[in-house]
Amino acid sequence: MPELPEVETTRRGLAAHLTGQTIADVVIRNASLRWPIPKNLPKLLRGQTIVALKRRAKYLLMDCGSGTLILHLGMSGSLRILPAGTPAEKHDHFDLVLGNGLLMRLRDPRRFGAVLWHSGDVHTHPLLAALGPEPLEENFDARYLHQAMRGRSIAIKQCIMDNHVVVGVGNIYANEALFRAGIKPQLAAGKLSLPRCARLVAEIRATLAEAIKLGGSSLRDFVNTSGQPGYFQQHYWVYGRDGEACRKCGTPIKQIKQGQRSSFYCGNCQK
DNA sequence: AATCTTTCCTGCCGGC
DNA sequence: TGCCGGCAGGAAAGAT
């Protein structure tokens, strides 16, 4: 599933093909994603030049000069670069046909993704305006996290998955980072000391950075822009390892539900 | 049939 | 009383 490392992997794979290219055509086969794809998108985009491909949280931002195409992969989306004219398959909802004989194709079986247009400063878009800091940037530090969680009774795991606190930490990496930091997922967020916040910040950063280096997770249906899976899943400490031995101490990994999501942890290594 | 995935939205609760 | 923020739960589609 696309979490931040998968989105960043996608961004890097796409950027080389897209940057500086003109948009020859736009094909909408099925507009009903999480929100409808704007009907006037072909009119808006035809003839535009792609200036840059950026990322904010799990949103891909295609800067077209006059505005920004906002893309989200939802739970099952993937973007690929293919030769123009490649026949569309099931769940291929959206194409950007480029001037260089290639196209960028969105496939999204579960249709929780999004394709939206915003003119002007994209960071003022309602979906982006209230987001917390990027986990890999300097302003996400121990002092900030400590402050953001102060007085809160919500479980630490749910707190770091809250986009208002920090963006881009989904279920897999939340579980992994908490294991690496030695923090039990049920701990009340407000109870985490400043030094433990520092440890957690460091482990969230390291977990995401390593996953990006490895090309993202390949859980279920994630593929990169060439259609290849990532390799991070081979490195999980706890995710999906219910009942298996902890890789550090041998204690069986436990699975619990928090906010309808599965959490995995070691009762011995995580306090 | 239940589960899994992301994230927005609704509505309840308690505090002031 | 009414507003606010925190928080829980629900919703969307499809594969397994």
Side-chain angles (χ1 to χ4, degrees):
Chain A
M1 300 300 150
E3 293 197 28
L4 188 144
E6 290 77 10
V7 177
E8 180 60 20
T9 297
T10 299
R11 189 193 69 78
R12 292 177 185 186
L14 292 174
H17 297 289
L18 298 183
T19 308
Q21 289 302 316
T22 57
I23 297 169
D25 204 2
V26 175
V27 180
I28 302 171
R29 289 185 203 83
N30 184 352
S32 49
L33 301 186
R34 179 164 195 163
W35 299 281
I37 302 178
K39 285 208 175 76
N40 61 348
L41 213 50
K43 202 175 207 174
L44 279 168
L45 285 176
R46 239 176 252 137
Q48 298 248 15
T49 300
I50 299 166
V51 178
L53 189 64
K54 298 173 187 168
R55 180 186 59 75
R56 173 75 172 109
K58 297 175 188 171
Y59 295 94
L60 285 167
L61 308 175
M62 190 182 293
D63 178 358
C64 296
S66 68
T68 306
L69 190 69
I70 302 171
L71 299 148
H72 197 286
L73 299 177
M75 300 205 281
S76 61
S78 60
L79 288 163
R80 299 190 206 191
I81 296 292
L82 299 163
T86 304
E89 295 176 29
K90 202 178 178 186
H91 308 309
D92 288 343
H93 307 310
F94 176 83
D95 288 353
L96 219 53
V97 185
L98 306 172
N100 61 359
L102 298 174
L103 61 79
M104 184 193 79
R105 177 163 287 166
L106 173 71
R107 174 174 298 180
D108 187 3
R110 273 152 275 178
R111 291 194 275 120
F112 287 5
V115 178
L116 300 166
W117 177 256
H118 189 258
S119 50
D121 180 7
V122 73
H123 298 291
T124 66
H125 190 280
L127 289 171
L128 304 184
L131 292 174
E134 288 285 329
L136 297 175
E137 289 186 6
E138 292 301 312
N139 56 346
F140 178 60
D141 61 14
R143 203 162 289 280
Y144 162 79
L145 186 63
H146 191 66
Q147 165 69 26
M149 301 195 305
R150 194 174 60 181
R152 298 190 62 179
S153 60
I154 196 172
I156 182 80
K157 173 162 176 273
Q158 289 167 271
C159 197
I160 60 174
M161 290 176 68
D162 179 348
N163 277 338
H164 301 97
V165 174
V166 59
V167 301
V169 183
N171 199 35
I172 297 171
Y173 299 111
N175 278 298
E176 293 297 298
L178 285 170
F179 173 83
R180 294 168 54 137
I183 299 164
K184 201 192 278 195
Q186 306 95 314
L187 185 72
K191 301 254 181 191
L192 202 69
S193 67
L194 186 58
R196 297 189 87 196
C197 283
R199 179 76 192 280
L200 181 54
V201 165
E203 296 298 351
I204 287 172
R205 284 217 175 110
T207 303
L208 294 174
E210 285 170 26
I212 290 169
K213 222 177 219 176
L214 289 164
S217 159
S218 67
L219 181 66
R220 298 263 167 83
D221 42 12
F222 175 73
V223 292
N224 61 22
T225 53
S226 319
Q228 300 300 307
Y231 296 97
F232 187 74
Q233 65 172 5
Q234 297 163 15
H235 297 255
Y236 291 155
W237 288 99
V238 289
Y239 185 81
R241 300 192 64 242
D242 179 35
E244 293 176 44
C246 170
R247 297 194 200 278
K248 271 193 183 154
C249 76
T251 304
I253 299 298
K254 289 185 199 167
Q255 176 175 10
I256 58 167
K257 286 271 181 199
Q258 294 182 286
Q260 300 159 309
R261 314 295 302 277
S262 283
S263 297
F264 302 89
Y265 69 102
C266 172
N268 181 46
C269 294
Q270 296 173 255
K271 304 291 182 197

